[in-house]
Amino acid sequence: MRIIWYLWLAFFYSGAAAESWRLQVPRVPFDYDSGYETVDYQPLDKAAKPWRLCIAYPHLKDAYWLSVNFGMVTEARRLGVSFKLVEAGGYPNLQRQIQQAESCVAEGADAFVVGTVSYNGLGSTVERIAASIPVIAAVNDIADTGITAKVGVSWTDMGAAAARIIAERHPKSSPPVKVAWFPGPQEAGWVKFVEQGFQNALAGSSAKIVATKYGDTGREIQVRLVEEALDEVADLDYIAGSAPTAEAAVSVLRARGLQDQVQIVSDYMTHAVYRGVLRNRIIATPTDLPVLQGRLAIEVAVRAIEKKLRYSHLGPQIQIFDQQSSDPNMLDLSLAPAAFAPVFELRMPQ
């Protein structure tokens, strides 16, 4: 393990090679319903200058955003740009993210990259920032006004992909099964999209949502919500929801002796979800390749600064990870190395 770690360090600090990325581009920018074109995307070799970026995350409570961070650090080093990162501490903290964004940009930034806590809540803030520098939406969808480019996947499609894992096991004519559904924090912009996709894809099956539990994606909250659902619903068959939900469900079900009775589906992948799938505690999960999204957001930000944008909206193709998955690139583009710690400030020589 130590040798592997040293090899990764050498790779990381030398900068990853600029390979071609297989991406999806909406036919109409900012409209996921317009359909997609698939492109082989060649990233820039280097930034023209050591640009400074301001980056805002909704939180770093789970390893998903840690993997996004790893991707951003990798690409920033490769391109030769600096950044400062702020994180709001959770989806309820809209005012905190607004204050962080304004303060971070005021310190001097050539572009603003935002993983928003709210679809509509940052509208006026984004407009003010966009008057002077490009604004790139990363991962979480946001209202279009003031946005220069978006990097992400459709969370409607992510929800549908998670639901199909259950629906394909239980066609309409089969015996009914009960699903407890944990969409995430109700105020978060992505939740309404993931809900729509999940519910629509489940509709043609014998699976029925019998409990819905909203809540922030912190582990303690999700443990409480999973326990509530198990107390309220007899003979539950599935727990489906965010990665922290799935992670919490593994331990709660084990503690209650229900690990062989209730099955788990996550609607995105983290390190703990990955381990849960390998140990047959989680059936499967879609992945939107968060490491690649992090890299792409930085690359697109640099293109926007240098007025070299090829596409104003693009993202990876959603993939399903289960015990039959064999593509090592899926893991490399989904999960940060186990020893990686978040980087809040990266400075390159001026």
Side-chain angles (χ1 to χ4, degrees), residues 14-261:
S14 63
E19 73 277 23
S20 177
W21 298 330
R22 192 76 165 164
L23 301 175
Q24 288 187 327
V25 177
R27 291 191 175 92
V28 177
F30 303 173
D31 182 1
Y32 286 112
D33 294 331
S34 64
Y36 300 97
E37 296 178 359
T38 302
V39 300
D40 290 315
Y41 184 89
Q42 185 65 46
L44 295 168
D45 289 330
K46 211 73 178 172
K49 294 182 180 180
W51 307 111
R52 296 171 298 172
L53 309 179
C54 171
I55 302 170
Y57 287 177
H59 64 83
L60 275 163
K61 291 183 180 183
D62 68 48
Y64 179 93
W65 283 98
L66 186 69
S67 294
V68 174
N69 184 233
F70 171 70
M72 289 189 173
V73 172
T74 301
E75 191 66 9
R77 284 192 178 277
R78 189 187 71 79
L79 290 173
V81 298
S82 304
F83 69 72
K84 179 179 179 180
L85 168 68
V86 293
E87 61 97 9
Y91 285 97
N93 300 330
L94 172 60
Q95 291 306 313
R96 183 184 301 174
Q97 186 169 65
I98 290 172
Q99 293 166 3
Q100 288 177 334
E102 292 177 340
S103 175
C104 180
V105 169
E107 291 177 15
D110 298 298
F112 178 47
V113 180
V114 56
T116 181
V117 301
S118 168
Y119 184 82
N120 290 305
L122 270 77
S124 58
T125 302
V126 166
E127 286 190 74
R128 285 195 297 273
I129 294 172
S132 56
I133 59 175
V135 179
I136 311 302
V139 182
N140 288 348
D141 202 6
I142 192 171
D144 300 343
T145 303
I147 300 297
T148 306
K150 291 186 178 184
V151 171
V153 307
S154 164
W155 273 88
T156 304
D157 292 347
M158 285 289 282
R164 283 194 291 269
I165 295 168
I166 300 172
E168 289 171 1
R169 291 166 169 252
H170 303 281
K172 194 72 171 178
S173 58
S174 62
V177 292
K178 299 177 182 179
V179 180
W181 168 231
F182 300 77
Q186 198 163 16
E187 64 274 13
W190 52 270
V191 168
K192 64 180 180 181
F193 300 113
V194 75
E195 276 209 284
Q196 178 185 354
F198 189 86
Q199 292 171 357
N200 289 348
L202 208 63
S205 73
S206 68
K208 304 298 180 187
I209 298 174
V210 295
T212 300
K213 298 287 183 179
Y214 297 98
D216 196 38
T217 51
R219 179 176 172 79
E220 290 184 6
I221 292 174
Q222 292 300 315
V223 165
R224 174 175 57 80
L225 294 176
V226 169
E227 289 179 334
E228 284 181 6
L230 290 170
D231 289 340
E232 293 169 8
V233 181
D235 301 322
L236 194 63
D237 296 292
Y238 285 93
I239 288 173
S242 69
T245 304
E247 297 163 17
V250 170
S251 58
V252 172
L253 293 176
R254 183 174 59 243
R256 294 192 178 207
L258 297 173
Q259 64 269 33
D260 297 323
Q261 176 180 321

